[in-house]
């Protein structure tokens, strides 16, 4: 509890001056007479948001309150309503009408924010591109500073910024001096007294300076203070409207724009809240529920909208002050809200004497600290490292564009333009190329280990197989490029394999292009094979619903690239090059006995024993200590390996008739390195390690010739693997 109390005191000292300043700034367009009520609005927004967020949020130490970004949105809302309600300026309840509609806008935004959390779609807010967020933050900072300049210079608050150029001669030196002193004090406190609240330090120092030099001030501007703050100013925002004289038709005409502003309020508050909760959760170790955070902030904003028409969001500055002072539970937020309420009730006569110039200096200093420098930092780092990329440059330009539009034109237009630019950039990047690499299969082959003769033939005719690996989404912007690439690159190839392992999505256009590629190749007497799409997968279902699977044919789709390669190799070898039928090999035909005489073959045959295995029988088990050599004369076997800490087995390769296995253990006297499992019925000969030793002792020449052939077979496989790696690396 001690830590929560200390954290609450620290957060309250930051929240109070910021809430006062943001309240005045948000409703500055309503004139000097509205300043006292604007202060009450800001303070009560901090109280209500802090209390409700603390109770309903999932992040226990987050502190919520008015923010710079939301303040600028409210300025825009008030300005739009002023322009629409110009005919009502002489009415007694003019301010109340505007305040009531602003409150409706805030409540709608708060309701949308809560709904985002209730329907668990709050995480979608995180997908707003960061360059847009960065530019928007910086635009808000500039707008906030620009709105403070008239006050800081001592020029009447009703003047707009663009009038300052011709009104600079009206600058009041005393007001500028007091405001600048407050600004400098905040900077000094942040640099040398980080444990003390910099905004509070600047506020107290500025107030002291103002009243020290106040007797010497002659200007009424330099002496301008908040004004008479009264408890009775706290009342629901909708109460002051005279509904009998209210122009509903005029109000209805601005409702669509108010709805758009409500959506903007919802998005900005949600982004700030989620960023704050994520950062606080990371530092405190608390697991945060983003949807619950949005519900809590939405409820807080709804309460604030009903009473005071100023929205809030989770604040990193306040929350870190709370956390770093020892707060650990949600009681810190409750105590912070109650503490601000207590200060308001007991000290409002003193708050009314705070000079506006002091608040302006504090807000400018806080605004500068909020400036986001990340995109600039990335750009200058890339310049120093001489690695300026298009992506870094474009992100900086997007951020600058949004900044300028937010500060100089319109914040809604800034967000829309920023998102449109990033979306267009994303579409261009996705449509630029989905081709990861392409290669013919002269050196790249399937995992099926074939005889030396078959391997030689595949080397000679491997260019008949062409593989194109794709990545990312195959959609309308990229599918046409794939079709053109295949048409220009396939050349003499008879089989084109589309490797879809890294394809994340296929839209209707991409699916139709696949069919178009298939039909185009078919007319040329060529075949399209597609890997990594098989039954019950998401991509299979997408193509199946579009009718593409049936039109291309199920036998053209394979579970992985290796299966497609093996199929294409079999078709090429069967095309008159050699026989790959499942026949039984004679011992003399096997590569391991190349160069053996009839007499030497008889010596070997006397030491071999015949064995038959059924489908799925394990012939060799990993880590077995036997050292026997196996000669596969009929059937196929898979060499598999179970990954550490995984139940899944991977296939290293497949051995067909005419190959041998078990040589490594025979030669290096180490445990077996993989499993060997029969595929269908298998016939093989076994040379036991004992018979091998007997062969070495009694027939050393035969044994040496056998070892030499084993070494040649292993070196051939190793060389082929090296060539394959080189081809894949180059592509």
């Amino acid at each position: 509890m001690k830590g929560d109390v200390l954290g609450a005191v620290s957060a309250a000292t930051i929240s109070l001056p910021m809430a006062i300043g943001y309240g005045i700034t948000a409703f500055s367009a309503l004139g000097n007479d509205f300043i006292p009520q604007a202060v009450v609005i800001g303070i009560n927004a901090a109280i209500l948001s802090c209390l409700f967020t603390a109770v309903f949020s999932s992040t226990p130490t987050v502190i919520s309150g008015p923010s710079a970004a939301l303040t600028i949105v409210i300025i825009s809302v008030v300005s739009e309503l002023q322009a629409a309600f110009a005919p009502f300026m002489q009415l007694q309840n003019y301010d109340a009408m505007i305040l009531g509609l602003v409150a409706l806008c805030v409540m709608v935004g708060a309701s949308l924010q809560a709904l985002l959390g209730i329907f668990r779609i709050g995480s979608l807010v995180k997908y707003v591109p960061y360059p847009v967020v960065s530019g928007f933050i910086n635009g808000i900072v500039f707008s906030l500073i620009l709105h403070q300049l008239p006050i800081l210079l001592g020029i009447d608050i009703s003047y707009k910024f663009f009038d300052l150029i011709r009104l600079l001669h009206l600058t009041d030196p005393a007001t500028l001096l007091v405001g600048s002193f407050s600004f400098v004090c905040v900077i000094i406190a942040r640099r040398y007294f980080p444990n003390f609240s910099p905004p509070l330090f600047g506020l107290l120092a500025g107030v002291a300076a103002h009243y020290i030099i106040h007797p010497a001030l002659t200007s009424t501007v330099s002496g301008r203070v908040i004004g008479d703050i009264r408890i009775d100013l706290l009342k629901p925002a909708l109460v002051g409207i005279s509904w009998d004289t209210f122009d509903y038709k005029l109000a209805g005409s601005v409702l669509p724009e108010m709805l758009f502003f409500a959506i903007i309020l919802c998005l900005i508050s949600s982004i700030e809240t989620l960023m704050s909760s994520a950062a606080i959760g990371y530092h405190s170790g608390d697991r945060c529920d983003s949807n619950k955070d949005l519900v809590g902030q939405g409820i807080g904003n709804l309460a604030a909208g009903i009473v005071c028409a100023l929205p809030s969001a989770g604040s990193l500055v306040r929350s870190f002050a709370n956390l770093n002072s020892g707060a650990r539970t949600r009681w810190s937020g409750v105590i912070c809200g109650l503490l601000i309420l207590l200060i308001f009730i007991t000290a409002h006569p003193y708050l009314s004497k705070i000079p506006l110039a002091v608040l302006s200096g504090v807000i400018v200093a806080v605004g500068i600290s909020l400036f986001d420098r990340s995109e600039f930092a990335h750009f200058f780092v890339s310049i120093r490292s001489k690695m300026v990329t298009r992506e870094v440059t474009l992100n900086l330009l997007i951020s600058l564009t949004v900044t300028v539009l937010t500060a100089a034109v319109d914040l809604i237009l800034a967000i829309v333009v920023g998102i449109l630019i990033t979306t267009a950039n994303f579409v261009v990047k996705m449509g630029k190329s989905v081709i990861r690499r392409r290669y013919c299969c002269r050196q790249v082959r399937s995992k099926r280990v074939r005889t030396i003769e078959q391997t030689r033939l595949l080397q000679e005719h491997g260019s008949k197989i062409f593989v194109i690996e794709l990545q990312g989404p195959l959609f309308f912007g990229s599918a046409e490029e794939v079709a053109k690439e295949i048409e220009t690159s396939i050349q003499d190839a008879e089989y084109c394999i589309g490797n879809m392992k890294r394809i994340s999505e296929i839209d209707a256009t991409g699916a139709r292009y696949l069919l178009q590629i298939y039909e185009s190749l078919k007319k040329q007497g060529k075949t399209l094979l597609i890997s990594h799409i098989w039954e019950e997968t998401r991509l299979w279902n997408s193509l199946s619903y579009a009718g593409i699977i049936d039109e291309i044919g199920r036998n053209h789709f394979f579970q992985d690239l290796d299966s497609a390669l093996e199929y294409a190799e079999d078709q090429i070898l069967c095309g008159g090059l050699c026989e790959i039928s499942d026949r039984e090999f004679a011992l003399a035909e096997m590569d391991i006995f190349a160069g053996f005489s009839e007499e030497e073959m008889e010596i070997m045959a006397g030491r071999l024993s015949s064995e038959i295995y059924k489908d799925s029988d394990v012939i060799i088990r990993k880590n077995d200590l036997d050292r026997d050599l196996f000669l596969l004369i009929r059937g196929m076997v898979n060499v598999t390996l179970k990954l550490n800490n995984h139940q899944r087995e991977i296939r290293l390769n497949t051995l067909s008739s005419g190959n041998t296995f078990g040589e490594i253990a025979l030669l290096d006297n180490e445990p077996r390195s993989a499993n060997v499992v029969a595929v269908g019925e298998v016939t093989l000969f076994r040379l036991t390690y004992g018979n091998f030793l007997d062969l070495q002792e009694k027939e050393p020449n035969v044994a040496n010739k056998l070892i030499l052939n084993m070494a040649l077979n292993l070196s051939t496989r190793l060389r082929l693997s090296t060539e394959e790696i080189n081809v894949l690396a180059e592509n």
Side-chain angles (χ1 to χ4, degrees):
M1 183 59 72
K2 179 182 177 182
D4 288 338
V5 172
L6 292 176
V9 172
S10 179
T13 58
I14 296 175
S15 295
L16 187 61
M18 292 176 70
I20 293 173
Y22 288 149
I24 294 174
T25 304
F27 296 96
S28 58
L30 296 181
N32 298 332
D33 294 337
F34 196 78
I35 290 178
Q37 187 164 350
V39 171
V40 176
I41 289 174
I43 292 176
N44 283 286
I47 295 171
L48 293 169
S49 178
C50 194
L51 288 173
F52 281 95
T53 303
V55 173
F56 294 102
S57 176
S58 73
T59 309
T61 54
V62 70
I63 301 295
S64 181
S67 72
L70 295 171
T71 298
I72 298 301
V73 178
I74 296 301
I75 290 175
S76 300
V77 175
V78 173
S79 299
E80 292 293 332
L81 290 175
Q82 273 191 315
F85 281 33
F88 293 89
M89 291 186 66
Q90 304 303 321
L91 295 181
Q92 189 175 4
N93 66 336
Y94 168 74
D95 291 348
M97 286 194 304
I98 291 181
L99 187 62
L101 285 176
V102 174
L104 284 175
C105 182
V106 172
M107 286 187 285
V108 172
S111 302
L112 293 174
Q113 188 175 24
L115 289 174
L116 286 179
I118 292 172
F119 290 105
R120 310 196 65 79
I121 54 177
S123 56
L124 294 178
V125 178
K126 299 177 182 178
Y127 290 100
V128 177
Y130 189 76
V132 177
V133 176
S134 174
F136 184 72
I137 291 173
N138 294 337
I140 291 299
V141 169
F142 281 121
S143 297
L144 191 67
I145 293 173
L146 295 179
H147 279 87
Q148 298 306 313
L149 286 181
I151 307 174
L152 196 61
L153 296 174
I155 299 175
D156 195 287
I157 196 171
S158 63
Y159 291 128
K160 295 182 179 180
F161 168 73
F162 296 104
D163 297 322
L164 286 179
I165 298 176
R166 62 182 181 83
L167 297 174
L168 284 177
H169 65 283
L170 299 178
T171 298
D172 182 65
T175 302
L176 180 59
L177 176 64
V178 172
S180 300
F181 181 74
S182 301
F183 171 83
V184 172
C185 287
V186 175
I187 303 300
I188 292 174
R190 186 178 296 119
R191 177 68 176 85
Y192 296 103
F193 312 110
N195 294 328
F196 191 85
S197 168
L200 183 62
F201 181 82
L203 180 68
L204 296 177
V207 171
H210 172 82
Y211 283 103
I212 288 174
I213 65 173
H214 182 66
L217 301 179
T218 58
S219 170
T220 57
V221 176
S222 60
R224 182 176 295 153
V225 295
I226 289 177
D228 185 20
I229 300 177
R230 305 187 310 275
I231 299 296
D232 60 5
L233 291 176
L234 175 60
K235 57 185 178 181
L238 302 179
V239 169
I241 301 178
S242 297
W243 298 103
D244 54 337
T245 60
F246 190 75
D247 191 330
Y248 294 96
K249 184 177 181 180
L250 181 59
S253 66
V254 299
L255 284 181
E257 194 163 5
M258 292 301 102
L259 177 60
F260 196 82
F261 276 115
I263 295 173
I264 297 298
L265 287 173
C266 169
L267 292 177
I268 295 173
S269 178
S270 299
I271 291 172
E272 289 197 64
T273 298
L274 293 180
M275 289 174 63
S276 300
S277 297
I280 294 300
Y282 175 79
H283 285 274
S284 65
D286 296 319
R287 185 179 294 276
C288 304
D289 183 343
S290 59
N291 293 297
K292 189 174 180 181
D293 286 335
L294 291 185
V295 172
Q297 187 62 63
I299 294 174
N301 280 335
L302 187 61
I306 293 173
V307 175
C308 55
L310 188 64
S312 299
S315 168
L316 277 176
V317 177
R318 302 177 181 98
S319 300
F320 271 119
N322 184 38
L323 181 67
N324 294 335
S325 298
R328 291 296 179 269
T329 72
R330 60 185 71 252
W331 277 107
S332 60
V334 174
I335 296 171
C336 180
L338 295 176
L339 184 60
I340 297 174
L341 176 61
L342 179 63
I343 294 173
F344 172 59
I345 293 174
T346 59
H348 65 273
Y350 304 99
L351 295 177
S352 57
K353 299 184 182 301
I354 296 176
L356 296 181
V358 172
L359 281 173
S360 181
V362 171
I363 291 176
V364 170
V366 171
I368 291 176
S369 69
L370 296 176
F371 187 80
D372 186 87
R373 301 169 179 82
S374 58
E375 299 300 334
F376 295 91
H378 293 159
F379 182 74
F380 289 121
V381 167
S382 64
I383 289 179
R384 285 195 296 270
S385 61
K386 298 181 179 179
M387 297 179 62
V388 181
T389 63
R390 175 183 174 275
E391 189 69 22
V392 171
T393 305
L394 182 61
N395 285 344
L396 178 61
L397 291 176
I398 292 173
S399 180
L400 289 174
T401 301
V402 176
T403 298
V404 172
L405 290 176
T406 301
V409 184
D410 183 76
L411 60 91
I412 296 177
L413 178 64
I415 294 176
V416 172
V417 170
I419 292 178
L420 286 177
I421 293 175
T422 52
T423 302
N425 180 48
F426 173 78
V427 171
V428 169
K429 285 196 300 183
M430 291 298 100
K432 188 174 182 180
S433 180
V434 296
I435 300 173
R436 185 168 182 262
R437 59 185 170 188
R438 61 192 74 76
Y439 51 87
C440 67
C441 295
R442 187 177 285 108
Q443 282 81 33
V444 179
R445 279 170 293 280
S446 69
K447 294 177 182 177
R448 181 168 178 177
V449 180
R450 303 179 186 273
T451 64
I452 292 179
E453 174 62 18
Q454 292 173 350
T455 301
R456 182 187 63 79
L457 290 171
L458 288 176
Q459 281 183 308
E460 293 178 2
H461 300 274
S463 59
K464 293 183 178 180
I465 304 174
F466 177 79
V467 175
I468 179 168
E469 293 187 11
L470 308 177
Q471 62 183 0
L474 186 64
F475 70 129
F476 65 91
S478 57
E480 184 178 4
E481 184 196 1
V482 175
K484 290 181 179 179
E485 179 66 25
I486 291 177
E487 290 178 2
T488 57
S489 301
I490 194 168
Q491 298 176 353
D492 298 330
E494 296 178 2
Y495 294 88
C496 176
I497 302 176
N499 186 347
M500 303 289 187
K501 181 179 181 179
R502 293 176 174 83
I503 288 293
S504 58
E505 193 67 54
I506 302 178
D507 72 350
T509 305
R512 299 310 301 178
Y513 266 107
L514 278 182
L515 180 60
Q516 179 181 324
I517 293 169
Y518 165 76
E519 293 175 343
S520 175
L521 292 177
K522 186 177 180 181
K523 291 178 181 178
Q524 303 174 46
K526 301 176 181 182
T527 304
L528 173 67
L529 307 177
I530 299 173
S531 72
H532 292 91
I533 296 181
W534 64 96
E535 291 190 46
E536 305 305 325
T537 61
R538 182 171 52 84
L539 293 181
W540 174 279
N541 292 334
S542 298
L543 294 177
S544 180
Y545 295 148
I548 304 301
I549 299 293
D550 292 333
E551 293 195 51
I552 293 179
R554 293 172 179 260
N555 60 326
H556 289 257
F557 292 86
F558 297 85
Q559 187 166 350
D560 52 38
L561 176 62
D562 185 66
S563 302
L565 280 173
E566 184 177 338
Y567 174 84
E569 290 170 354
D570 288 345
Q571 298 304 309
I572 290 175
L573 291 174
C574 288
L577 296 179
C578 68
E579 182 181 2
I580 60 168
S581 60
D582 189 19
R583 67 178 180 84
E584 184 171 314
F585 270 63
L587 287 176
E589 295 180 89
M590 302 191 70
D591 296 329
I592 198 171
F593 296 128
F596 274 54
S597 64
E598 292 184 6
E599 182 181 354
E600 289 170 334
M601 288 301 304
E602 290 178 2
I603 293 173
M604 287 302 308
R607 287 173 170 79
L608 300 175
S609 58
S610 177
E611 297 179 357
I612 297 177
Y613 290 86
K614 295 181 180 179
D615 183 44
S616 301
D617 284 350
V618 179
I619 303 170
I620 292 178
R621 199 177 300 275
K622 183 184 178 184
N623 296 325
D624 283 353
L625 299 178
D626 71 284
R627 300 177 61 186
D628 299 346
L629 175 69
F630 296 89
L631 290 72
L632 184 59
I633 62 171
R634 191 172 189 276
M636 291 191 303
V637 295
N638 281 336
V639 182
T640 65
L641 180 66
K642 181 177 289 187
L643 300 177
N644 293 333
N645 302 321
H646 287 80
Q647 296 298 319
R648 185 172 63 90
E649 280 192 336
I650 62 172
R651 181 174 69 125
L652 300 179
N653 50 50
T654 298
L655 302 175
S656 56
S657 304
N659 285 286
T660 59
F661 56 92
E663 305 99 323
I664 296 177
L666 179 72
L667 297 174
D668 66 8
N669 196 25
E670 293 291 333
R672 300 292 190 181
S673 58
N675 303 315
V676 179
V677 182
V679 180
E681 188 174 284
V682 170
T683 303
L684 51 80
F685 281 106
R686 182 196 292 256
L687 175 64
T688 65
Y689 185 62
N691 286 339
F692 175 72
L693 293 178
D694 181 69
L695 182 68
Q696 281 186 312
E697 180 181 350
K698 297 179 179 179
E699 301 290 344
N701 292 332
V702 177
N704 289 338
K705 188 177 288 188
L706 181 68
I707 293 173
L708 177 61
N709 283 345
M710 283 192 290
L712 288 173
N713 285 346
L714 290 174
S715 66
T716 299
R717 295 179 192 175
L718 180 60
R719 187 177 296 278
L720 292 174
S721 298
T722 303
E723 292 176 353
E724 180 174 338
I725 291 172
N726 286 333
V727 171
L728 295 178
E730 289 174 359
N731 289 277

